[in-house]
Amino acid sequence: MPITRELENLKNLESVGFSHEQAETLADVIEKPHVDSQENLKEFIHNELRTEISNLRSEISRELKDLLIKILGIIIGTVGIAVTILKLFP
């Protein structure tokens, strides 16, 4: 929580009858979960991005392997047809 927001909260709490110490304690109690939730959100987003990037890399890798197998199949088939044609027409 920004310092200006914290000071504003302290003034608001003091204006309704909280002592300065009570207002500070309450502001700290409110601020700590807020900061913790931001850190948890950052960690969650970081982990999700890492997982998505890993999945994308493995997917791309799998697609490239499939493409390589198809290309090799086409080459082998073409060579087989060429050899057959050469044997049929000497």
Side-chain angles (χ1 to χ4, degrees):
M1 180 181 319
I3 189 71
T4 54
R5 183 76 170 148
E6 186 175 348
L7 292 174
E8 182 181 311
N9 287 342
L10 287 174
K11 288 179 184 177
N12 287 339
L13 290 169
E14 288 173 354
S15 71
V16 294
F18 283 92
S19 71
H20 183 72
E21 292 79 21
Q22 289 173 327
E24 281 183 339
T25 302
L26 187 55
D28 286 342
V29 167
I30 293 170
E31 180 185 8
K32 287 179 183 175
H34 179 71
V35 170
D36 290 345
S37 69
Q38 283 182 339
E39 290 300 317
N40 289 339
L41 181 60
K42 287 178 187 177
E43 182 179 335
F44 173 76
I45 290 171
H46 180 72
N47 290 337
E48 285 297 311
L49 284 175
R50 183 180 296 167
T51 302
E52 288 299 317
I53 289 170
S54 175
N55 290 342
L56 182 60
R57 285 183 180 158
S58 67
E59 182 179 319
I60 288 172
S61 176
R62 189 173 42 251
E63 287 176 4
L64 288 176
K65 287 177 186 175
D66 290 344
L67 183 60
L68 181 61
I69 290 170
K70 288 175 185 178
I71 290 171
L72 288 175
I74 291 169
I75 291 171
I76 291 170
T78 304
V79 169
I81 291 171
V83 169
T84 304
I85 290 173
L86 289 174
K87 284 185 179 183
L88 289 175
F89 304 104

